[in-house]
Amino acid sequence: MEPQGKKALELTHREALRLGDEHIGTEHLLLGILDLAEGDTVDLLTHCGVTRENAEAALARLR
């Protein structure tokens, strides 16, 4: 596994723990990827207008 992929999975797990969820879902993965703050995937998401702040806000509305 590439170091950036491993880091994304670690951050994904942290997000699930931070939010108090027992299972890791796509929302945790999205937040974990956005926490990387660099890389092609983050660049693509940012280019499409997806930021950590608006992803957090959308998640809060859904909970």
Side-chain angles (χ1 to χ4, degrees):
M1 177 179 291
E2 291 189 34
Q4 191 173 23
K6 183 176 180 181
K7 182 67 175 176
L9 290 177
E10 290 171 359
L11 293 169
T12 297
H13 183 244
R14 284 187 196 170
E15 286 300 328
L17 293 174
R18 181 182 71 83
L19 293 171
D21 296 328
E22 292 181 22
H23 301 283
I24 294 174
T26 55
E27 67 275 19
H28 307 117
L29 183 57
L30 175 62
L31 294 172
I33 289 170
L34 289 169
D35 280 346
L36 287 173
E38 63 180 40
D40 293 340
T41 305
V42 176
D43 292 344
L44 176 64
L45 289 168
T46 303
H47 179 74
C48 293
V50 180
T51 64
R52 169 75 189 198
E53 293 77 25
N54 62 25
E56 282 272 2
L59 181 58
R61 286 192 302 271
L62 294 173
R63 288 186 164 243

